[in-house]
Amino acid sequence: PPETVVTLLSFAYALALPHVLASAAALLLERDRVRFSLVQALWMTVAPLMLFNNWLSLAALDGAVWTPRLTFEAFLFGVAQYVGCVLVSPRTEPGGEIDMAAHHSRNGRLFKGVFIIIGLAAMIGNIRHAGLFGRGPLEALVSQWPVVVIIGLTVLSLWRRDRWLQIPVAVLLILLMLAMSGLAVYGIML
């Protein structure tokens, strides 16, 4: 039944969120050992917002026919969300410095790549669920403009790794995702 699938997906999302939250809390507790990075902190904010927005999007699947294919795709989507949240979250090992900038340098391409995959999967799923595949690529892409912008900004942050660009890109992503969350909560889907 659909309720079982949505419950399973909610578990995947519920397991992903604590990674980011626990990492943020540990960084606060170990702040004397932390070499802070605003860029990494902003990306750690992007991850749970993306997770929350994608969790909210499950409501759009109300009434969907849960075929084995859709169930499998939704499960993989939940797994990707989990992996993205794990990758963005710096570990706080005992002893030594915790370098957030080094974590971003070492893992930024990985978690941003996962975020791009999540965006592409969301866009394809949204287009397919809305029945837009037969209407032409431009109309389908225009209908998904927020996801296209999110993917574009994330690709830009991969292409140009300058700090002066990383910060505004992450801030724009956060603002866009907050706007999407607010609109979705009030029943206005973009």
Side-chain angles (χ1 to χ4, degrees):
E3 302 83 33
T4 307
V5 176
V6 172
T7 301
L8 174 67
L9 292 174
S10 293
F11 273 116
Y13 288 37
L15 290 171
L17 184 60
H19 280 281
V20 181
L21 297 178
S23 179
L27 290 170
L28 285 172
L29 289 172
E30 300 293 335
R31 62 191 171 278
D32 295 337
R33 298 189 304 126
V34 173
R35 181 172 165 245
F36 183 75
S37 165
L38 180 60
V39 172
Q40 177 61 27
L42 290 170
W43 281 100
M44 288 177 69
T45 306
V46 167
L49 288 172
M50 181 181 291
L51 183 72
F52 181 66
N53 280 331
N54 287 323
W55 177 75
L56 286 175
S57 73
L58 291 176
L61 293 174
D62 188 36
V65 177
W66 285 92
T67 63
R69 175 182 165 182
L70 178 59
T71 303
F72 182 69
E73 289 171 357
F75 177 73
L76 288 180
F77 191 68
V79 169
Q81 298 273 343
Y82 176 84
V83 170
C85 286
V86 170
L87 290 175
V88 79
S89 304
R91 291 186 184 164
T92 53
E93 304 294 336
E97 182 179 63
I98 303 164
D99 190 342
M100 291 175 69
H103 178 83
H104 186 266
S105 293
R106 188 173 47 254
N107 299 310
R109 290 188 179 272
L110 284 173
F111 65 72
K112 291 173 188 176
V114 171
F115 292 169
I116 290 168
I117 290 168
I118 291 167
L120 290 170
M123 184 170 56
I124 291 167
N126 292 343
I127 289 170
R128 187 174 58 214
H129 184 68
L132 294 171
F133 269 130
R135 294 194 185 168
L138 184 60
E139 184 178 347
L141 284 177
V142 168
S143 74
Q144 294 300 303
W145 73 264
V147 181
V148 171
V149 171
I150 288 168
I151 293 168
L153 287 171
T154 308
V155 168
L156 180 61
S157 77
L158 281 171
W159 178 57
R160 294 296 305 251
R161 298 182 71 180
D162 306 316
R163 188 174 191 278
W164 65 266
L165 183 68
Q166 292 287 325
I167 292 171
V169 162
V171 168
L172 285 172
L173 284 169
I174 290 167
L175 293 173
L176 180 57
M177 288 188 199
L178 285 171
M180 290 171 64
S181 298
L183 292 172
V185 166
Y186 290 104
I188 305 167
M189 299 305 271
L190 295 175

